[in-house]
mmCIF file of all heavy atoms in Angstrom:
data_model
loop_
_atom_site.group_PDB
_atom_site.id
_atom_site.type_symbol
_atom_site.label_atom_id
_atom_site.label_comp_id
_atom_site.label_asym_id
_atom_site.label_seq_id
_atom_site.Cartn_x
_atom_site.Cartn_y
_atom_site.Cartn_z
ATOM 1 N N PRO A 118 -51.291 119.668 4.249
ATOM 2 C CA PRO A 118 -50.541 120.597 3.389
ATOM 3 C C PRO A 118 -50.814 120.281 1.907
ATOM 4 O O PRO A 118 -50.834 119.218 1.395
ATOM 5 C CB PRO A 118 -49.065 120.163 3.704
ATOM 6 C CG PRO A 118 -49.253 119.622 5.133
ATOM 7 C CD PRO A 118 -50.540 118.940 5.235
ATOM 8 N N GLY A 119 -51.045 121.440 1.182
ATOM 9 C CA GLY A 119 -51.401 121.389 -0.199
ATOM 10 C C GLY A 119 -52.897 121.285 -0.490
ATOM 11 O O GLY A 119 -53.285 121.659 -1.576
ATOM 12 N N ASP A 120 -53.653 120.836 0.403
ATOM 13 C CA ASP A 120 -55.029 120.730 0.182
ATOM 14 C C ASP A 120 -55.819 122.001 -0.146
ATOM 15 O O ASP A 120 -56.708 121.992 -1.045
ATOM 16 C CB ASP A 120 -55.732 120.114 1.415
ATOM 17 C CG ASP A 120 -55.585 118.541 1.483
ATOM 18 O OD1 ASP A 120 -55.066 118.027 0.529
ATOM 19 O OD2 ASP A 120 -56.003 117.984 2.528
ATOM 20 N N ARG A 121 -55.463 123.063 0.610
ATOM 21 C CA ARG A 121 -56.185 124.301 0.318
ATOM 22 C C ARG A 121 -55.893 124.877 -1.027
ATOM 23 O O ARG A 121 -56.799 125.392 -1.746
ATOM 24 C CB ARG A 121 -55.790 125.416 1.470
ATOM 25 C CG ARG A 121 -56.158 125.037 2.855
ATOM 26 C CD ARG A 121 -57.564 125.290 3.146
ATOM 27 N NE ARG A 121 -58.134 124.606 4.295
ATOM 28 C CZ ARG A 121 -58.362 125.113 5.463
ATOM 29 N NH1 ARG A 121 -58.184 126.399 5.563
ATOM 30 N NH2 ARG A 121 -58.929 124.550 6.479
ATOM 31 N N GLU A 122 -54.673 124.749 -1.504
ATOM 32 C CA GLU A 122 -54.315 125.233 -2.839
ATOM 33 C C GLU A 122 -54.980 124.396 -3.918
ATOM 34 O O GLU A 122 -55.570 125.004 -4.861
ATOM 35 C CB GLU A 122 -52.748 125.099 -3.111
ATOM 36 C CG GLU A 122 -51.966 126.150 -2.215
ATOM 37 C CD GLU A 122 -51.860 125.677 -0.795
ATOM 38 O OE1 GLU A 122 -51.958 124.485 -0.447
ATOM 39 O OE2 GLU A 122 -51.700 126.609 0.157
ATOM 40 N N GLU A 123 -54.981 123.123 -3.703
ATOM 41 C CA GLU A 123 -55.744 122.186 -4.642
ATOM 42 C C GLU A 123 -57.197 122.562 -4.717
ATOM 43 O O GLU A 123 -57.917 122.563 -5.721
ATOM 44 C CB GLU A 123 -55.493 120.762 -4.361
ATOM 45 C CG GLU A 123 -56.035 119.847 -5.397
ATOM 46 C CD GLU A 123 -55.779 118.341 -5.069
ATOM 47 O OE1 GLU A 123 -55.059 118.022 -4.205
ATOM 48 O OE2 GLU A 123 -56.407 117.514 -5.862
ATOM 49 N N ALA A 124 -57.748 122.788 -3.433
ATOM 50 C CA ALA A 124 -59.233 123.039 -3.321
ATOM 51 C C ALA A 124 -59.527 124.393 -4.093
ATOM 52 O O ALA A 124 -60.490 124.363 -4.845
ATOM 53 C CB ALA A 124 -59.584 123.194 -1.946
ATOM 54 N N ARG A 125 -58.682 125.312 -3.970
ATOM 55 C CA ARG A 125 -58.951 126.658 -4.648
ATOM 56 C C ARG A 125 -58.995 126.439 -6.176
ATOM 57 O O ARG A 125 -59.711 127.014 -6.868
ATOM 58 C CB ARG A 125 -57.938 127.735 -4.236
ATOM 59 C CG ARG A 125 -58.268 128.320 -2.902
ATOM 60 C CD ARG A 125 -57.291 129.425 -2.537
ATOM 61 N NE ARG A 125 -57.509 129.995 -1.230
ATOM 62 C CZ ARG A 125 -56.645 129.657 -0.158
ATOM 63 N NH1 ARG A 125 -55.545 129.029 -0.348
ATOM 64 N NH2 ARG A 125 -56.934 130.101 0.989
ATOM 65 N N GLY A 126 -58.050 125.657 -6.719
ATOM 66 C CA GLY A 126 -57.967 125.370 -8.107
ATOM 67 C C GLY A 126 -59.190 124.629 -8.575
ATOM 68 O O GLY A 126 -59.783 124.951 -9.657
ATOM 69 N N LEU A 127 -59.605 123.661 -7.866
ATOM 70 C CA LEU A 127 -60.785 122.916 -8.264
ATOM 71 C C LEU A 127 -62.014 123.793 -8.227
ATOM 72 O O LEU A 127 -62.845 123.690 -9.133
ATOM 73 C CB LEU A 127 -60.983 121.637 -7.451
ATOM 74 C CG LEU A 127 -60.070 120.513 -7.617
ATOM 75 C CD1 LEU A 127 -60.178 119.516 -6.392
ATOM 76 C CD2 LEU A 127 -60.316 119.769 -8.947
ATOM 77 N N GLN A 128 -62.101 124.596 -7.184
ATOM 78 C CA GLN A 128 -63.282 125.451 -7.070
ATOM 79 C C GLN A 128 -63.226 126.423 -8.151
ATOM 80 O O GLN A 128 -64.366 126.797 -8.677
ATOM 81 C CB GLN A 128 -63.163 126.160 -5.662
ATOM 82 C CG GLN A 128 -64.403 126.794 -5.195
ATOM 83 C CD GLN A 128 -65.371 125.725 -4.754
ATOM 84 O OE1 GLN A 128 -65.476 124.571 -5.044
ATOM 85 N NE2 GLN A 128 -66.272 126.206 -3.714
ATOM 86 N N ALA A 129 -62.133 127.012 -8.520
ATOM 87 C CA ALA A 129 -62.112 128.037 -9.634
ATOM 88 C C ALA A 129 -62.546 127.404 -10.966
ATOM 89 O O ALA A 129 -63.283 128.015 -11.690
ATOM 90 C CB ALA A 129 -60.674 128.564 -9.785
ATOM 91 N N GLU A 130 -62.152 126.157 -11.180
ATOM 92 C CA GLU A 130 -62.594 125.479 -12.352
ATOM 93 C C GLU A 130 -64.025 125.226 -12.414
ATOM 94 O O GLU A 130 -64.800 125.381 -13.360
ATOM 95 C CB GLU A 130 -61.815 124.130 -12.560
ATOM 96 C CG GLU A 130 -60.326 124.324 -12.850
ATOM 97 C CD GLU A 130 -59.598 122.976 -13.035
ATOM 98 O OE1 GLU A 130 -60.309 122.054 -13.512
ATOM 99 O OE2 GLU A 130 -58.522 122.923 -12.555
ATOM 100 N N ALA A 131 -64.613 124.869 -11.239
ATOM 101 C CA ALA A 131 -66.004 124.646 -11.102
ATOM 102 C C ALA A 131 -66.817 125.889 -11.329
ATOM 103 O O ALA A 131 -67.805 125.929 -12.037
ATOM 104 C CB ALA A 131 -66.342 123.990 -9.774
ATOM 105 N N ARG A 132 -66.338 126.962 -10.644
ATOM 106 C CA ARG A 132 -66.950 128.198 -10.863
ATOM 107 C C ARG A 132 -67.031 128.734 -12.252
ATOM 108 O O ARG A 132 -68.033 129.121 -12.787
ATOM 109 C CB ARG A 132 -66.311 129.308 -9.919
ATOM 110 C CG ARG A 132 -67.075 130.613 -9.925
ATOM 111 C CD ARG A 132 -66.440 131.504 -8.917
ATOM 112 N NE ARG A 132 -64.989 131.779 -8.958
ATOM 113 C CZ ARG A 132 -64.218 131.341 -8.012
ATOM 114 N NH1 ARG A 132 -64.591 130.792 -6.911
ATOM 115 N NH2 ARG A 132 -62.915 131.555 -8.163
ATOM 116 N N ALA A 133 -65.917 128.530 -13.017
ATOM 117 C CA ALA A 133 -65.817 128.904 -14.431
ATOM 118 C C ALA A 133 -66.832 128.128 -15.294
ATOM 119 O O ALA A 133 -67.495 128.719 -16.119
ATOM 120 C CB ALA A 133 -64.339 128.697 -14.918
ATOM 121 N N THR A 134 -66.920 126.882 -15.029
ATOM 122 C CA THR A 134 -67.980 126.143 -15.721
ATOM 123 C C THR A 134 -69.356 126.517 -15.412
ATOM 124 O O THR A 134 -70.246 126.684 -16.311
ATOM 125 C CB THR A 134 -67.804 124.570 -15.412
ATOM 126 O OG1 THR A 134 -66.518 124.128 -15.807
ATOM 127 C CG2 THR A 134 -68.827 123.750 -16.109
ATOM 128 N N TYR A 135 -69.686 126.766 -14.181
ATOM 129 C CA TYR A 135 -71.000 127.143 -13.766
ATOM 130 C C TYR A 135 -71.304 128.590 -14.453
ATOM 131 O O TYR A 135 -72.393 128.805 -14.822
ATOM 132 C CB TYR A 135 -71.104 127.279 -12.304
ATOM 133 C CG TYR A 135 -71.133 126.003 -11.508
ATOM 134 C CD1 TYR A 135 -70.640 125.913 -10.260
ATOM 135 C CD2 TYR A 135 -71.684 124.885 -12.009
ATOM 136 C CE1 TYR A 135 -70.502 124.696 -9.549
ATOM 137 C CE2 TYR A 135 -71.711 123.621 -11.311
ATOM 138 C CZ TYR A 135 -71.094 123.542 -10.097
ATOM 139 O OH TYR A 135 -71.115 122.399 -9.393
ATOM 140 N N GLU A 136 -70.377 129.414 -14.389
ATOM 141 C CA GLU A 136 -70.497 130.693 -15.040
ATOM 142 C C GLU A 136 -70.839 130.540 -16.657
ATOM 143 O O GLU A 136 -71.663 131.164 -17.134
ATOM 144 C CB GLU A 136 -69.277 131.675 -14.864
ATOM 145 C CG GLU A 136 -69.175 132.165 -13.469
ATOM 146 C CD GLU A 136 -67.907 132.936 -13.177
ATOM 147 O OE1 GLU A 136 -66.924 132.853 -13.957
ATOM 148 O OE2 GLU A 136 -67.831 133.576 -12.099
ATOM 149 N N ARG A 137 -70.038 129.616 -17.224
ATOM 150 C CA ARG A 137 -70.222 129.459 -18.738
ATOM 151 C C ARG A 137 -71.545 128.833 -18.981
ATOM 152 O O ARG A 137 -72.123 129.112 -19.975
ATOM 153 C CB ARG A 137 -69.137 128.519 -19.180
ATOM 154 C CG ARG A 137 -69.000 128.342 -20.694
ATOM 155 C CD ARG A 137 -67.763 127.554 -21.129
ATOM 156 N NE ARG A 137 -67.849 126.146 -20.864
ATOM 157 C CZ ARG A 137 -67.194 125.601 -19.924
ATOM 158 N NH1 ARG A 137 -66.270 126.233 -19.181
ATOM 159 N NH2 ARG A 137 -67.405 124.281 -19.658
ATOM 160 N N LEU A 138 -72.065 128.054 -18.004
ATOM 161 C CA LEU A 138 -73.350 127.483 -18.202
ATOM 162 C C LEU A 138 -74.523 128.311 -17.758
ATOM 163 O O LEU A 138 -75.672 127.959 -17.888
ATOM 164 C CB LEU A 138 -73.412 126.127 -17.544
ATOM 165 C CG LEU A 138 -72.440 125.081 -18.043
ATOM 166 C CD1 LEU A 138 -72.460 123.738 -17.161
ATOM 167 C CD2 LEU A 138 -72.804 124.597 -19.450
ATOM 168 N N GLY A 139 -74.206 129.451 -17.195
ATOM 169 C CA GLY A 139 -75.236 130.404 -16.791
ATOM 170 C C GLY A 139 -75.954 129.931 -15.486
ATOM 171 O O GLY A 139 -77.155 130.278 -15.265
#
Side-chain angles (χ1 to χ4, degrees):
D120 282 351
R121 299 279 165 107
E122 293 76 23
E123 186 178 354
R125 284 187 184 104
L127 288 168
Q128 197 78 331
E130 289 178 40
R132 186 173 50 247
T134 299
Y135 291 146
E136 287 172 348
R137 190 174 69 253
L138 296 173

